[in-house]
Amino acid sequence: MSIENISSAKSFGGWHKQYSHKSSTLGCDMRFAIYLPPQAGNGTTVPVMYWLSGLTCTDENFMQKAGAHRIAAELGIAIVAPDTSPRGDHVPDDENEAYDFGKGAGFYVNATQEPWRQNYRMYDYIISELPALIAEHFPVNENTVISGHSMGGHGALMMALRNPGRFRSVTAFSPISNPVNVPWGQKAFENYLGSKQADWAAYDSSMLMSTAQPTAFTPALVDQGDADGFLKDQLKPETLEQAAKNSGYPLTLRMQEGYDHSYYFIASFIEDHMRFHATHLGLTA
């Protein structure tokens, strides 16, 4: 699997780099960003945090706005930030170019419906193709964690819940916690997965968490701003909190006073999330 470097910049002693590659899973050219801390290389491998971004985002939003490089460099954690959907002129898009569906809004599912099923397979891309590519080309080890924001918070939680033991920990900012019951999720799931709501449950974090067994528990931290304009109608963290109570899931959910849905919020608490992951990676006590 070949990759092409398209940008490089030194940051806190490490390197932020962007690459493109041909994705066999998505049937298009894809771009991802990676931050390699100064500890990586010369025979030393480092763990990886996968970051899944939200609606309208690309690989650039988190890397440029979150301020995560400094703490990643201190802890010795690589960060991989993929794009949020397939791209290209031949990839189908919402006919009205809506921001909440189509390009920029892959929702981290494997689409089963036409015309989406050929390209919109972000679940397989994140779980299988991209990690194999990263392992082949970069000095990383098998220890991984996953995080995300909004649509990406949904993706991070859902992937950790569906793949017990795959990730040492999971964190999310403002996740779409119960997509089967909110407009963003309903629109995406009906188009990508069809009208049978029973098929949607496999991608709903609250439903998955509510029935999770102790052998499938992955330590989770979620931060949600109480001034988030999407809180009531789209995010519904209370469903996730109730799901954790139902199953005894190890979830810490923090409501943060005055914070909204923006990257100011993420930048304010990303260090907490990185240190949470470092603890579960065995990097810190």
Side-chain angles (χ1 to χ4, degrees):
M1 294 184 286
S2 63
I3 58 176
E4 179 183 358
N5 180 233
I6 55 179
S7 76
S8 298
K10 195 166 187 178
S11 178
F12 292 96
W15 287 91
H16 169 263
K17 299 184 178 186
Q18 289 177 301
Y19 290 87
S20 64
H21 73 104
K22 294 186 180 299
S23 170
S24 59
T25 300
L26 304 177
C28 65
D29 291 339
M30 287 294 285
R31 190 177 72 188
F32 67 88
I34 185 168
Y35 177 71
L36 291 168
Q39 297 88 337
N42 296 321
T44 300
T45 61
V46 295
V48 183
M49 182 183 84
Y50 285 88
W51 172 269
L52 307 185
S53 289
L55 294 166
T56 75
C57 291
T58 68
D59 65 288
E60 294 185 332
N61 297 72
F62 178 79
M63 290 299 202
Q64 294 182 7
K65 296 179 179 179
H69 292 179
R70 176 187 62 82
I71 188 65
E74 175 191 327
L75 296 171
I77 300 174
I79 304 171
V80 173
D83 203 346
T84 51
S85 78
R87 305 278 181 176
D89 292 340
H90 68 289
V91 174
D93 196 7
D94 184 86
E95 60 183 11
N96 298 313
E97 297 184 352
Y99 78 95
D100 57 355
F101 182 72
K103 293 180 184 177
F107 265 84
Y108 304 104
V109 303
N110 284 341
T112 59
Q113 305 300 301
E114 296 293 353
W116 319 105
R117 68 183 185 90
Q118 299 299 322
N119 302 107
Y120 286 77
R121 302 186 60 81
M122 289 298 295
Y123 179 87
D124 280 353
Y125 178 71
I126 301 299
I127 288 295
S128 299
E129 184 176 12
L130 184 59
L133 198 70
I134 299 301
E136 179 179 349
H137 291 279
F138 301 101
V140 299
N141 56 48
E142 71 279 4
N143 297 319
T144 61
V145 296
I146 191 165
S147 299
H149 172 232
S150 194
M151 177 185 71
H154 137 74
L157 290 166
M158 174 267 293
M159 290 187 184
L161 286 157
R162 287 185 54 160
N163 296 273
R166 175 68 177 272
F167 304 103
R168 295 290 188 92
S169 53
V170 55
T171 72
F173 292 86
S174 315
I176 304 173
S177 298
N178 188 206
V180 303
N181 286 316
V182 301
W184 279 341
Q186 290 168 343
K187 178 179 181 179
F189 285 6
E190 183 162 8
N191 281 283
Y192 291 141
L193 305 174
S195 59
K196 296 180 180 179
Q197 294 193 14
D199 295 336
W200 303 0
Y203 296 103
D204 186 288
S205 297
S206 291
M207 298 177 74
L208 292 166
M209 187 175 288
S210 185
T211 59
Q213 299 299 308
T215 54
F217 286 176
T218 300
L221 170 65
V222 172
D223 273 318
Q224 172 64 61
D226 70 1
D228 190 322
F230 301 114
L231 176 59
K232 181 179 177 181
D233 295 332
Q234 300 283 13
L235 305 178
K236 297 189 179 298
E238 66 276 7
T239 63
L240 200 65
E241 191 169 40
Q242 184 59 54
K245 290 179 180 178
N246 292 345
S247 64
Y249 200 90
L251 169 70
T252 298
L253 193 155
R254 309 188 303 189
M255 296 298 297
Q256 302 290 1
E257 182 180 1
Y259 286 91
D260 60 15
H261 201 71
S262 72
Y263 265 82
Y264 296 111
F265 173 43
I266 296 170
S268 298
F269 296 100
I270 190 61
E271 182 168 345
D272 286 1
H273 286 231
M274 295 290 293
R275 292 194 182 281
F276 179 85
H277 289 310
T279 297
H280 292 288
L281 287 165
L283 300 176
T284 59

